Amino acid sequence: MLDSIDYLCMNCFRCIQNCPKELIHKSVNPEYKEMGDYHWSADIISRQWYQAETGKIPVSGAGYPGPFCGPGFDSMWTDMSEIVRPTRDGIHGREYISTMVDLGRTPQYLTFGESTEIGQSRPQVISVPVPILIRVPEFGDLSDLTFEGWARAASMLGTLFALPSDCITMSMLGDSQSLVPILSLGGGDQDWIPEGVRMVEIEVGEEDDAEEILNFADKKVPGALVSARIPMDKGMEDRTLNLVKAGVPIVHLQGTWDGRWQDDESRFLKDGIRSVHLALVEDGLRDSITLLASGGIAMAEHVAKSIICGADAVYLDFPILIALECRMCRRCLKNLPCPVEIGLAERQWVAKRVRNLVGAFHNQLLEVMGAMGMRDARRLRGEAGRAMFFEELDQSTFGQLGTVEEGVELE
Ligand code: SF4
């Protein structure tokens, strides 16, 4: 055998069994094993490549070979009790399932002026057909072509793409409705923002005043929705409540690249989203705000689970880079050449790969929602009663037995 034909091999092992001299050997490619890290594992990367290439749901075979429980989203199970009902089939269209979500502030009631015009409580929302937004990842071998491809993908999907304002180019003019320029209160941003932008994101520090943020955004992009980005860390519940009370319509909770809190690696994205969601419910403010979450969302199931925990929608960051065949080798962080030269990729190719990936995520969301018997993504938000959390089950089942201290032997 001069060269292997990995892309055609079906792993039937016939060649290995039938080789009379037992010369053929097959093992996992060491380069594959080396890819990524503990969060963006080789398995996750290769599945995202498949989805970006084909737009199809990756099927790994019968049964689930993975662990029963794990950290983060892996300690959460969704209620799939309706999976046996064929009418609940969102993908094949036998029952319509809506994945549309609204971003912005929806008033509790409408007020009318004397001439029956709607008063100040006019709702200002952006409806997106999928609860998935995309944003520029923290690193990558990126070029204007990449940014333009991502903007095109967001436009084709009808969703939004958050990017630093100085990365916006003239070629994105046609996609301006899908852009979310990221601005900083400290200034230094590009002054030119294309017409048609509907939402802006502002990074908010602990000392920043909500009113100042709203005024700043209104001056920069009049009429656009404001999304305040805060780190997922201790005290985020109070900060979110303050922002909502001051009139900020969207809060974006940003976790780390591996889906944890920024100041506590033992706590995960799902815990942060739940905590803020419940604080808003407690104060009767949940419907006055849109909650976005980002950080470490690696699989379609993470989208559904984030929404169950209380997010309205999530941002994908590294998946839109992995869709372009990134290996998460981090060579670009060390100023070394990218092995796949992502920055040279044509914008149309970039757009198609990302559209395929989000399309595959969308189909999996439909599968989960169909199996849960949910017909509307807006209804899924905060439906924690339709999920089980390992920590809670563990506590309710074994909590009364006490804790085992280190060094103490059980009888
Ligand atoms: S493949 Fe490696 S060098 Fe290229 S963008 Fe991805 S992490 Fe960076």
Side-chain angles (χ1 to χ4, degrees):
M1 190 184 281
L2 293 176
D3 197 3
S4 62
I5 42 172
D6 297 345
Y7 62 99
L8 288 179
C9 175
M10 293 292 169
N11 285 321
C12 70
F13 295 104
R14 198 169 159 189
C15 55
I16 294 165
Q17 283 177 336
N18 288 359
C19 176
K21 301 284 184 197
E22 296 182 1
L23 290 175
I24 299 177
H25 169 77
K26 190 167 168 58
S27 63
V28 179
N29 187 334
E31 270 184 43
Y32 174 82
K33 280 199 203 164
E34 285 300 311
M35 266 197 323
D37 49 52
Y38 66 88
H39 185 78
W40 302 99
S41 63
D43 199 30
I44 283 180
I45 292 174
S46 65
R47 271 189 266 164
Q48 288 189 7
W49 287 352
Y50 174 81
Q51 291 170 85
E53 191 178 333
T54 64
K56 293 180 182 167
I57 298 176
V59 180
S60 53
Y64 167 65
F68 180 64
C69 180
F73 287 117
D74 288 344
S75 69
M76 183 179 168
W77 303 284
T78 50
D79 172 359
M80 305 290 232
S81 56
E82 306 262 343
I83 204 163
V84 290
R85 292 179 55 174
T87 53
R88 305 269 188 190
D89 189 340
I91 293 185
H92 301 102
R94 272 175 279 181
E95 178 166 299
Y96 182 72
I97 294 179
S98 169
T99 53
M100 181 167 275
V101 290
D102 303 316
L103 313 176
R105 172 186 282 272
T106 46
Q108 303 289 317
Y109 50 84
L110 297 177
T111 55
F112 293 90
E114 278 183 14
S115 55
T116 65
E117 280 171 7
I118 296 179
Q120 329 151 302
S121 53
R122 183 184 293 274
Q124 192 194 3
V125 291
I126 300 172
S127 296
V128 287
V130 276
I132 300 172
L133 281 58
I134 59 177
R135 65 183 294 108
V136 173
E138 279 169 41
F139 61 81
D141 175 37
L142 311 176
S143 68
D144 282 354
L145 286 176
T146 326
F147 293 125
E148 288 160 12
W150 282 336
R152 196 81 275 279
S155 200
M156 289 194 286
L157 289 160
T159 189
L160 300 172
F161 168 46
L163 77 172
S165 62
D166 51 7
C167 297
I168 298 175
T169 66
M170 292 299 280
S171 304
M172 294 180 197
L173 282 181
D175 303 314
S176 63
Q177 292 237 326
S178 297
L179 301 180
V180 180
I182 302 173
L183 307 171
S184 56
L185 279 176
D189 302 311
Q190 175 173 284
D191 275 336
W192 175 73
I193 305 281
E195 265 184 42
V197 164
R198 296 179 292 167
M199 180 170 142
V200 289
E201 180 178 282
I202 296 175
E203 186 180 3
V204 179
E206 263 186 63
E207 305 298 321
D208 293 329
D209 176 49
E211 210 170 311
E212 190 191 337
I213 295 161
L214 291 170
N215 289 338
F216 172 78
D218 200 40
K219 218 166 96 193
K220 283 269 183 190
V221 193
L225 277 174
V226 180
S227 167
R229 171 160 52 97
I230 60 171
M232 186 171 276
D233 58 14
K234 195 164 170 272
M236 63 188 156
E237 298 85 353
D238 289 339
R239 291 169 67 195
T240 306
L241 288 172
N242 290 339
L243 288 166
V244 181
K245 286 173 189 164
V248 174
I250 302 170
V251 170
H252 166 199
L253 303 170
Q254 189 176 34
T256 59
W257 61 273
D258 56 350
R260 292 162 198 261
W261 289 26
Q262 304 243 4
D263 63 342
D264 182 355
E265 61 175 35
S266 69
R267 306 194 73 180
F268 295 91
L269 205 65
K270 77 175 202 312
D271 309 314
I273 299 171
R274 267 194 106 188
S275 177
V276 174
H277 169 74
L278 292 175
L280 288 163
V281 171
E282 187 82 6
D283 267 39
L285 290 169
R286 185 60 191 89
D287 286 330
S288 305
I289 185 197
T290 297
L291 207 55
L292 304 176
S294 72
I297 306 262
M299 291 194 266
E301 68 171 88
H302 298 169
V303 177
K305 288 177 174 176
S306 299
I307 296 173
I308 291 170
C309 287
D312 290 275
V314 297
Y315 272 114
L316 292 187
D317 42 26
F318 283 112
I320 63 168
L321 184 66
I322 295 172
L324 312 182
E325 298 188 346
C326 168
R327 284 125 208 256
M328 295 300 275
C329 63
R330 293 171 169 80
R331 282 170 60 91
C332 48
L333 275 176
K334 299 174 197 151
N335 283 331
L336 293 169
C338 172
V340 273
E341 297 182 327
I342 283 176
L344 300 182
E346 280 297 323
R347 58 174 83 86
Q348 287 304 334
W349 182 82
V350 171
K352 281 181 190 162
R353 300 273 301 192
V354 172
R355 186 179 61 166
N356 279 352
L357 178 74
V358 176
F361 272 38
H362 176 245
N363 272 345
Q364 289 165 85
L365 182 63
L366 288 176
E367 286 264 295
V368 174
M369 287 175 62
M372 291 180 79
M374 304 293 296
R375 295 192 214 163
D376 193 329
R378 288 172 277 214
R379 275 276 291 118
L380 188 65
R381 186 191 76 190
E383 275 281 349
R386 305 297 308 276
M388 293 184 289
F389 296 85
F390 171 77
E391 302 84 0
E392 290 174 7
L393 293 174
D394 191 41
Q395 181 60 28
S396 61
T397 312
F398 301 111
Q400 58 187 336
L401 299 179
T403 51
V404 181
E405 282 175 25
E406 213 173 314
V408 175
E409 283 198 12
L410 293 174
E411 288 183 10

